[in-house]
Amino acid sequence: MAESLDDLEARIDELRTAVRRALMSGDRDQARRLRSDLRQAEAQWDDALLAIEPDEPASQSRTESQDAGPLLTIRDQVHQALTFLSVPAAPKLIVALRQAVFAGALNGQQLTSLRRDEERSFRTTPWARPYYLCAALTADRLSPARGLLAVSTWPLATRIVGPLSPRVHFLTSAIRVAEHLSHPDWATLPARRLLWQFAANIPGAATSFDTMRPDAVRRAAQAELDVHLDADLSQREAAARRAADQLDDLHQLFGADLRVASHAANDT
């Protein structure tokens, strides 16, 4: 099962890259087909993940995990949450997602030093791990975006944050949560509460918690996302090209320091 999940995650990354390239080339028909393939791969990832979840009630599972120790390390739990969202995220959202969707018990303090630990590991032995939890980078200065975590295996442009990216990330996260809630096994009250936090800030998504429907939230979020996505992608792609030209591997993952950022900004 672990190999199946790894294969699906690799396929999802490849499809995201293909969607981005199709949009950049102006081939919207191909982009739509690839997005359909991407949603199917993500659904398969969901099913594969559900297959390894314990069958007993969540309360019992949490009790047993407290006795036997966590099944996943904090690092793996954060990676799981970020893979679910597919965009950089703040610790607050990662914690909320773990609690609502995965019945996890992360807290923000556990994530405080995680990125620094990952950077120290990379400095000591570069590329020794299959992935690193790294920083999202600002599009203007290529410095670490405050409080945002990303995954090193994502394309560089996905790890860049431009002026429109916070809204794009918000809408993308809403879509991911809505898609998961369409699966009966995910439709828990905590997950619905999380979706409502998104829906309440998306025009046309829902009028109340009780009348909220995941498909309606997804459609409203996708409609707004389609307005912003191309412009955001263009800004992030341009910044990614600069980062690839100007930064070494370490700084592409964890951001440029003040000296490197100033040099990169002067070269634009």
Side-chain angles (χ1 to χ4, degrees):
M1 181 57 64
E3 290 183 359
S4 176
L5 283 171
D6 289 342
D7 291 343
L8 284 168
E9 288 171 3
R11 182 180 168 202
I12 287 169
D13 286 341
E14 291 173 358
L15 285 168
R16 286 175 185 149
T17 301
V19 169
R20 185 178 74 250
R21 289 174 178 168
L23 286 172
M24 289 179 63
S25 67
D27 191 344
R28 291 183 175 274
D29 289 338
Q30 176 69 357
R32 278 193 290 270
R33 287 192 292 270
L34 289 168
R35 279 178 176 172
S36 177
D37 292 342
L38 176 59
R39 285 193 291 271
Q40 183 179 3
E42 289 171 338
Q44 291 172 350
W45 185 86
D46 293 344
D47 292 339
L49 191 65
L50 281 170
I52 64 173
E53 291 284 300
D55 294 331
E56 58 268 41
S59 59
Q60 179 181 346
S61 300
R62 283 194 291 269
T63 301
E64 291 181 357
S65 66
Q66 290 172 354
D67 293 337
L71 297 176
L72 296 174
T73 66
I74 293 172
R75 182 173 181 271
D76 288 337
Q77 291 181 61
V78 173
H79 178 257
Q80 186 182 51
L82 289 170
T83 300
F84 178 105
L85 294 170
S86 77
V87 292
K92 182 177 180 180
L93 176 56
I94 292 170
V95 170
L97 183 73
R98 288 293 311 175
Q99 293 172 341
V101 173
F102 298 104
L106 281 178
N107 63 68
Q109 291 181 341
Q110 292 175 306
L111 276 64
T112 301
S113 61
L114 189 58
R115 193 195 65 79
R116 291 194 299 271
D117 293 341
E118 294 286 284
E119 182 174 352
R120 280 195 292 268
S121 174
F122 187 89
R123 286 179 180 273
T124 301
T125 313
W127 304 117
R129 296 177 172 179
Y131 68 85
Y132 291 86
L133 300 175
C134 57
L137 308 184
T138 60
D140 54 352
R141 304 187 67 85
L142 304 179
S143 56
R146 184 176 179 84
L148 291 179
L149 290 171
V151 181
S152 63
T153 55
W154 291 351
L156 184 54
T158 304
R159 297 187 274 111
I160 299 283
V161 179
L164 295 172
S165 298
R167 188 60 181 175
V168 167
H169 292 167
F170 179 89
L171 295 167
T172 302
S173 299
I175 291 169
R176 294 293 294 127
V177 174
E179 288 175 342
H180 281 257
L181 272 170
S182 65
H183 194 301
D185 292 322
W186 288 112
T188 63
L189 181 58
R192 285 182 56 79
R193 286 172 175 163
L194 177 60
L195 183 62
W196 172 245
Q197 294 178 28
F198 288 106
N201 292 284
I202 300 173
T207 56
S208 70
F209 177 81
D210 291 334
T211 61
M212 178 182 65
R213 297 294 180 267
D215 285 348
V217 176
R218 180 187 58 76
R219 288 194 298 269
Q222 186 66 59
E224 185 180 345
L225 181 62
D226 289 342
V227 173
H228 302 302
L229 185 59
D230 287 355
D232 177 59
L233 181 61
S234 177
Q235 293 168 341
R236 290 188 286 107
E237 286 284 358
R241 288 191 291 271
R242 285 194 293 113
D245 289 341
Q246 298 168 1
L247 302 181
D248 58 18
D249 288 349
L250 173 68
H251 292 108
Q252 285 183 34
L253 291 182
F254 298 99
D257 57 28
L258 182 60
R259 177 182 58 80
V260 176
S262 298
H263 175 73
N266 291 334
D267 287 344
T268 58

